[in-house]
Amino acid sequence: MEIKFNRVHTAVDLTISSIVLAAGIGLYFIHSGLGAVIAVCGLLMLIFYKGGYRREGDRTLLKKEGLDISRKCREQLTGYLAGLGAGLDIDKSNSGGTIRVEIYYEASGATAYVQVFDFADYLYRPATEMVELKGKRAETLLKSFGLRCG
């Protein structure tokens, strides 16, 4: 089964958009042209500015990170995602080429979704399917990439 994600509003997105919209409305009474432009920008932000992700069929709010790491970590990372390794040692340098890792994760670190891409012919091609990690395995992966959790 394919795992799909939808972009959603977060509380921070709604707060920032509302503040810009309110500032535009307030500024309209001082300078109508500038206030109208800023209010329209706030309205557009309210519609389009979405910084969170949700898996289809799930209500958990996720963050997304895309990282380029050294190609020499590919075997170890794909093995870990397949359940064959206990730990990870990630090299974030670009020595020997790069691979792309996209991670959708819960702020607490309890759940992570990971996919690895190979870079060839100026395109990123999926090397693995989207893999769901939970509990300690998700925390280990997030800590090895230096992403905050918990």
Side-chain angles (χ1 to χ4, degrees):
M1 183 176 114
E2 186 176 348
I3 299 174
K4 294 184 180 180
F5 297 94
N6 296 322
R7 292 187 73 140
V8 295
H9 292 288
T10 64
V12 173
D13 301 337
L14 295 174
T15 302
I16 292 171
S17 302
S18 300
I19 289 171
V20 172
L21 180 62
I25 292 170
L27 189 58
Y28 181 79
F29 296 108
I30 297 171
H31 190 279
S32 61
L34 185 59
V37 168
I38 292 177
V40 167
C41 289
L43 187 62
L44 290 173
M45 286 175 65
L46 199 58
I47 296 169
F48 295 112
Y49 183 42
K50 298 178 180 180
Y53 293 85
R54 282 206 173 105
R55 180 180 175 183
E56 286 184 353
D58 191 4
R59 301 289 302 158
T60 306
L61 186 63
L62 304 169
K63 297 178 183 180
K64 179 184 178 183
E65 290 290 331
L67 304 161
D68 293 321
I69 63 172
S70 177
R71 184 178 295 276
K72 65 184 176 184
C73 298
R74 184 182 188 281
E75 295 300 319
Q76 180 186 22
L77 182 58
T78 55
Y80 184 80
L81 295 179
L84 302 176
L88 287 171
D89 183 30
I90 302 299
D91 181 10
K92 294 183 183 177
S93 70
N94 292 337
S95 61
T98 61
I99 59 172
R100 178 96 175 152
V101 179
E102 291 196 356
I103 304 171
Y104 296 87
Y105 64 98
E106 193 176 351
S108 67
T111 306
Y113 300 90
V114 185
Q115 188 171 16
V116 178
F117 295 88
D118 286 324
F119 184 70
D121 300 327
Y122 298 104
L123 294 172
Y124 286 106
R125 294 195 171 90
T128 64
E129 296 293 321
M130 186 66 71
V131 177
E132 180 179 9
L133 300 174
K134 291 194 176 278
K136 274 292 199 197
R137 292 182 50 77
E139 287 179 24
T140 301
L141 179 101
L142 293 174
K143 287 180 183 176
S144 67
F145 280 104
L147 301 174
R148 293 182 298 163
C149 61

